[in-house]
Amino acid sequence: MSGSLSGRSLSGRSLSGRSLSRRSLGVAGVSAILSLGAGRVWSAEVLVEPSLRLPPSPDGARRVALTLDACPGGFDRRLAEALVEQRVPATIFVTALWMQWNPTGLAFLLAHRDIFTLENHGARHVPAVLGDAWVFGLRAAETLDAVRREVADGASAIHAATGVSSRWYRDATARYSRTAITMIEAMGIRIAGFSLNADMGASLPAGTVADRIVRARDGEVILGHINQPNRPSGAGIAGGVRGLRAAGVVFVGLG
């Protein structure tokens, strides 16, 4: 199910965890100030956090799309098994590193292709941000050539694992330089934004995550994580999904 994509303002966050000021600029985003610690601060170019929603439901049903990032890390099997049990489709944005480090988890996802669709989260989990900058503790790609390699190598890894070409890309941190977005789209790949951040990088407690998901409105594209098996956020995603199912909400793929 294709949806509408737009940019939205974002706020930077220093590595010490302090929130920086938010200045709403509509689709233009904001210029993020990214702290590197030790008194060094880089000013990145204007970054964009794309928002994605499903088109309105033709029959008035409440519909949402569940997307889960598999950043470098582990495999939250409890969450994956809960989705299989509930027959809830999910788009998993995998990095090539995650697939390399989690062969058992990858095999589980591939064994349930009726539930899980794999899409591109990059080769090495690098933000598609230009310039000498860090975003939420991750070093930016810096150049368009580096962004292109990150996207292309991630796509190649998915094709090697599934035999299917990926159509969507979500970078590390979900922040982008405008010119990087233009180049990625010129590669024939759609940017996978979202409208509801369910777990804030797998950092929230289970109850908070479940509550955020249960409150999802029609058309929401939900973002969560499936690479943190030792954190409570995965149980929160499973509980929130269960609550939406009980309310008659229909889960659909990105299409």
Side-chain angles (χ1 to χ4, degrees):
M1 180 65 65
S2 298
S4 59
L5 180 71
S6 62
R8 63 178 167 190
S9 62
L10 59 95
S11 62
R13 185 175 64 189
S14 72
L15 298 187
S16 64
R18 293 173 296 177
S19 294
L20 302 178
S21 62
R22 177 187 296 266
R23 182 160 60 103
S24 178
L25 295 178
V27 298
V30 302
S31 180
I33 305 301
L34 307 169
S35 172
L36 302 183
R40 294 187 301 151
V41 177
W42 295 99
S43 178
E45 69 170 85
V46 173
L47 303 184
V48 177
E49 182 186 87
S51 177
L52 181 67
R53 295 187 62 88
L54 303 174
S57 174
D59 56 7
R62 187 175 164 203
R63 300 181 306 162
V64 301
L66 178 64
T67 70
L68 302 172
D69 288 357
C71 315
F75 174 53
D76 195 339
R77 190 180 183 94
R78 60 185 176 166
L79 174 54
E81 289 179 343
L83 296 177
V84 171
E85 179 183 353
Q86 297 180 62
R87 309 301 299 169
V88 170
T91 303
I92 313 296
F93 284 88
V94 296
T95 60
L97 282 179
W98 183 90
M99 290 190 286
Q100 177 184 339
W101 295 349
N102 295 276
T104 302
L106 176 60
F108 183 93
L109 299 180
L110 294 178
H112 299 281
R113 295 200 189 198
D114 56 327
I115 300 294
F116 303 112
T117 300
L118 303 191
E119 292 291 353
N120 191 357
H121 199 34
R124 291 163 291 278
H125 202 238
V126 178
V129 172
L130 305 185
D132 190 2
W134 293 69
V135 187
F136 296 125
L138 297 177
R139 184 82 186 201
E142 297 191 17
T143 67
L144 284 177
D145 283 343
V147 173
R148 185 180 295 106
R149 287 194 302 271
E150 173 75 2
V151 176
D153 290 352
S156 295
I158 290 175
H159 190 273
T162 68
V164 178
S165 297
S166 60
R167 296 171 292 174
W168 294 87
Y169 179 74
R170 175 181 291 153
D171 84 334
T173 77
R175 271 72 167 171
Y176 306 78
S177 293
R178 286 180 172 277
T179 48
I181 288 179
T182 300
M183 187 203 68
I184 293 167
E185 291 178 336
M187 296 170 68
I189 300 171
R190 297 195 64 184
I191 300 294
F194 59 92
S195 60
L196 173 61
N197 191 334
D199 64 3
M200 300 298 290
S203 68
L204 299 179
T208 302
V209 174
D211 183 65
R212 291 165 75 97
I213 291 177
V214 167
R215 295 173 182 271
R217 297 172 296 174
D218 178 54
E220 299 275 28
V221 174
I222 302 170
L223 166 66
H225 289 77
I226 197 170
N227 66 308
Q228 295 291 348
N230 297 319
R231 296 185 185 179
S233 53
I237 294 173
V241 166
R242 191 175 298 109
L244 288 181
R245 290 266 297 172
V249 175
V250 177
F251 287 83
V252 299
L254 292 182

